Amino acid sequence: MTTPSSILPMSHTSATSTTNHPPPSRRRHLSLARWKGAKPIPLVVSITIGLIFRFAIPKPHKLSKNAWQLLAIFLTTISGLILGPLPVGAWAFFCLTLTVVTKTLTFAAAFAAFTNEVIWLIVASFFFSRGFIKTGLGDRIALYFVSWLGKNTLGLSYGLALSEAAISPAIPSTTARAGGIFLPIIKSLAVTADSHPKDDSAKKLGAYLIQSQLQCSSTSSALFLTAAAQNLLCLKLAEGLGVEISSKWLTWLKASCMPSVVSLLVTPVVLYKIFPPEMKDTPDAPLMARRRLEQMGSIKTDQWIMVIVMLITVALWIAGEALGILSVVTAMLGLSLLLGFGVIDWNDCLSEKSAWDTLAWFGVLIGMATQLTTLGVVAWMSDAVANFLKSISLHWFGAFCVLQATYFFIHYLFASQTGHVAALYSAFLGMCLASKVPGLFAALALGYNTNLFGALTHYSSGQAAVYYGGGYVELRDVFKLGIIIALMNIVIWALVGAGWWKIIGLY
């Protein structure tokens, strides 16, 4: 039986709760009950942008209703990529669903891009990255360079930068190279030198090495076609606009080699002057690298297999067109060999979330971009801009410079290089073509810029976020150094690149 004394506390609590506030435990429960779905404000803003464009702006006579509606959904998609109401893959799927529900696209057209060979080449390349990291081959190569060149800070930065350039054609994810290989090595070197993150000692060594590696990684990604996923996407979109590119891997390297090498040689020195490390000599770095190599022991069987498979794969990427072998078939062959020899297993592939996420949202964005081209939207936008540039009597080279600069610096609004490509590459290339800029010249220049603006800010690319997350560089320095090196690279690629491209007959 319940006694009055046992009821009293409850009655008192009940009365208090009705006149004042809920019990502390209930208030705590309510405060922890957070909304787990899409972020409301970014969601509303993204959808509103599309609705305003669809219903408040008159449709041009040249475009069909479906074309205008798809453009509105595409703007909603891009707004969401910038504002982030949902993770990228989830938002892309949400917008793809909109195209089907509104009957803007048929189901077959909406999902047609998921059979695109470039997407599967990128997915397979992510699995190659896992092999490099799992076997420790990437670490081993980087440590060799550190042991050879790391006697002083400047040499150490060159060793890290050159080792990334060496392995970049086989690891087409700059973010994977940053997070899986180079950030751990840089942290180890910095801590050994008593340079710690989020501390006054950060500028002793760690801050300089982080910034040098970040800026050089953009150039390494621009050097080889297979060094970054967005490179492959750029050329696929260029082909969709009628730009003919023979021997893609060699053509890309032929045009990029000279300005990339100059940029790789200049960047560490410039940063050494404008963002100098307090420690100039690093005699312990080669010793640490050698100790790590000794701990690793001799090259393991898996590493030898990884080397041989990657040499075969890169060779087929170079000569594949002459042999009639598609790049994606080469990647499939290489991946099958790695699986067959047990260098990686299927669980490694299943756990590579970045690959499957890329498959999802790349497929959506490429599909939308392709349909926008098919429905005539890209041609309409390109002609409108080209006519404006002609109206102010701008020569094709002047138009090229204006469009390239706009494409480059608009990246301040993007948090993804691949998202930037999917959103704007076709449109800007179309404008270049309508302005009579030579097709291959414009396509490659936009592709190279897609890599170079990856170090503008701490959010401009996956690798930028990884390196900033290391805690060694203050935000104001990230922005300051980002714009300085960006302008330096623009000058290098404009002078060295343009001159070299003239020599090789690119324009």
Side-chain angles (χ1 to χ4, degrees):
M1 180 181 294
T2 306
T3 63
S5 60
S6 66
I7 297 175
L8 262 175
M10 294 179 63
S11 304
H12 175 74
T13 303
S14 175
T16 304
S17 65
T18 57
T19 56
N20 296 321
H21 303 286
S25 60
R26 183 171 175 80
R27 288 204 307 272
R28 197 177 302 118
H29 173 74
L30 290 172
S31 66
L32 292 175
R34 299 182 183 277
W35 171 248
K36 297 179 181 179
K39 297 176 184 176
I41 294 178
L43 177 67
V44 171
V45 172
S46 299
I47 292 178
T48 301
I49 288 172
L51 290 174
I52 291 174
F53 188 86
R54 171 65 180 87
F55 296 105
I57 299 177
K59 179 183 73 66
H61 296 298
K62 292 184 177 180
L63 296 180
S64 66
K65 175 186 174 182
N66 272 10
W68 194 245
Q69 195 157 285
L70 181 59
L71 181 56
I73 295 175
F74 188 68
L75 289 176
T76 291
T77 306
I78 300 309
S79 300
L81 291 180
I82 296 171
L83 300 175
L86 286 170
V88 173
W91 181 248
F93 187 81
F94 175 86
C95 293
L96 183 68
T97 303
L98 281 180
T99 66
V100 179
V101 169
T102 59
K103 298 183 179 180
T104 306
L105 296 176
T106 64
F107 183 87
F111 282 87
F114 285 90
T115 61
N116 189 297
E117 69 271 13
V118 171
I119 297 176
W120 287 100
L121 173 58
I122 293 169
V123 170
S125 299
F126 272 106
F127 299 150
F128 279 111
S129 302
R130 173 58 68 100
F132 257 83
I133 295 169
K134 181 181 178 180
T135 62
L137 183 60
D139 285 342
R140 183 179 290 276
I141 293 172
L143 290 171
Y144 277 133
F145 276 91
V146 170
S147 66
W148 296 333
L149 301 173
K151 292 182 179 179
N152 56 61
T153 304
L154 187 58
L156 187 56
S157 66
Y158 275 115
L160 292 167
L162 293 176
S163 62
E164 177 162 12
I167 66 176
S168 63
I171 304 182
S173 170
T174 319
T175 306
R177 297 197 300 266
I181 298 174
F182 291 98
L183 181 60
I185 290 176
I186 290 172
K187 277 187 170 182
S188 180
L189 290 167
V191 170
T192 300
D194 201 25
S195 177
H196 303 281
K198 298 178 181 179
D199 186 83
D200 291 339
S201 64
K203 291 187 176 181
K204 187 175 181 180
L205 181 65
Y208 167 74
L209 291 181
I210 288 285
Q211 271 302 298
S212 177
Q213 195 65 20
L214 169 61
Q215 298 296 339
C216 288
S217 70
S218 297
T219 304
S220 297
S221 297
L223 180 56
F224 299 102
L225 176 61
T226 50
Q230 63 266 13
N231 298 345
L232 300 160
L233 179 58
C234 287
L235 294 197
K236 181 62 181 179
L237 294 174
E239 287 183 327
L241 291 177
V243 178
E244 295 184 5
I245 307 168
S246 60
S247 302
K248 297 180 185 65
W249 206 93
L250 285 176
T251 298
W252 182 282
L253 177 62
K254 184 179 177 182
S256 69
C257 62
M258 193 63 70
S260 291
V261 168
V262 172
S263 181
L264 279 173
L265 293 176
V266 170
T267 298
V269 175
V270 171
L271 283 169
Y272 194 80
K273 296 294 184 183
I274 65 175
F275 192 61
E278 295 173 2
M279 175 180 284
K280 308 300 181 184
D281 296 313
T282 55
D284 293 334
L287 296 176
M288 187 212 76
R290 293 188 190 103
R291 281 198 298 270
R292 290 272 298 274
L293 288 169
E294 287 173 3
Q295 291 171 1
M296 288 182 176
S298 58
I299 299 179
K300 306 295 190 298
T301 303
D302 283 356
Q303 293 178 342
W304 278 120
I305 294 173
M306 193 76 207
V307 169
I308 294 169
V309 169
M310 289 316 305
L311 287 175
I312 293 172
T313 303
V314 172
L316 287 177
W317 275 335
I318 294 171
E321 191 162 327
L323 298 173
I325 302 175
L326 293 174
S327 296
V328 67
V329 175
T330 296
M332 291 170 63
L333 174 62
L335 177 59
S336 297
L337 289 173
L338 293 180
L339 289 168
F341 283 106
V343 175
I344 60 175
D345 56 40
W346 191 238
N347 284 329
D348 293 322
C349 297
L350 292 176
S351 63
E352 190 64 40
K353 294 181 180 179
S354 297
W356 302 115
D357 186 51
T358 299
L359 171 65
W361 70 278
F362 257 36
V364 173
L365 292 174
I366 290 179
M368 285 190 184
T370 301
Q371 290 298 321
L372 286 171
T373 302
T374 302
L375 294 172
V377 175
V378 173
W380 166 74
M381 293 174 59
S382 303
D383 290 339
V385 174
N387 290 334
F388 169 74
L389 294 174
K390 287 178 183 177
S391 69
I392 58 176
S393 302
L394 202 60
H395 184 264
W396 73 259
F397 191 76
F400 167 80
C401 292
V402 170
L403 292 170
Q404 289 286 337
T406 304
Y407 180 79
F408 192 102
F409 288 108
I410 205 173
H411 192 65
Y412 275 109
L413 301 177
F414 283 87
S416 164
Q417 290 167 286
T418 46
H420 188 136
V421 172
L424 299 178
Y425 182 88
S426 293
F428 273 81
L429 180 56
M431 295 175 204
C432 287
L433 296 177
S435 301
K436 307 302 180 185
V437 180
L440 184 58
F441 175 60
L444 290 177
L446 286 170
Y448 297 140
N449 273 339
T450 299
N451 293 284
L452 298 177
F453 58 44
L456 265 178
T457 68
H458 63 301
Y459 60 83
S460 57
S461 62
Q463 65 270 20
V466 167
Y467 283 125
Y468 177 69
Y472 278 93
V473 186
E474 295 181 11
L475 192 57
R476 65 174 182 271
D477 290 324
V478 172
F479 276 87
K480 180 183 73 175
L481 297 173
I483 188 62
I484 290 173
I485 301 301
L487 293 173
M488 182 198 79
N489 276 325
I490 289 172
V491 172
I492 289 174
W493 284 77
L495 298 179
V496 178
W500 174 244
W501 297 340
K502 185 71 173 178
I503 291 172
I504 63 177
L506 199 59
Y507 68 96

